[in-house]
Amino acid sequence: YSDILEAYKTELEGRRNTISVNLEVILNTPRGIPEQTQIFVEVDSFVGQLAEITDKLKIVEFLLRSK
């Protein structure tokens, strides 16, 4: 099952990178966000997604080490 976990880890890392880039764009160019959108809502959403992915990666890495 390590192949499955490695593939899942790679997928999570890709999602983390995508979210990180999106967060960086929002933080560096807040004018790119439509006026009706609150920047804090967007930042909170991305930070929440990063936290969830980080937790999942820790568990996957633990499972890979425990094998």
Side-chain angles (χ1 to χ4, degrees):
Y1 69 95
S2 63
D3 289 344
I4 294 169
L5 288 174
E6 286 291 345
Y8 183 52
K9 180 181 173 185
T10 300
E11 192 268 335
L12 288 171
E13 290 169 339
R15 285 178 30 204
R16 180 183 60 194
N17 292 340
T18 299
I19 294 166
S20 295
V21 168
N22 289 337
L23 181 58
E24 187 175 324
V25 167
I26 284 177
L27 293 174
N28 290 327
T29 57
R31 285 166 280 163
I33 301 173
E35 289 180 30
Q36 67 270 19
T37 303
Q38 301 232 353
I39 191 167
F40 294 118
V41 172
E42 293 294 320
V43 169
D44 184 62
S45 174
F46 287 126
V47 169
Q49 292 174 55
L50 286 172
E52 181 180 340
I53 289 171
T54 299
D55 288 345
K56 288 179 180 182
L57 281 168
K58 287 178 184 176
I59 293 168
V60 169
E61 289 168 357
F62 170 77
L63 291 171
L64 287 168
R65 283 192 309 269
S66 298
K67 182 179 167 262

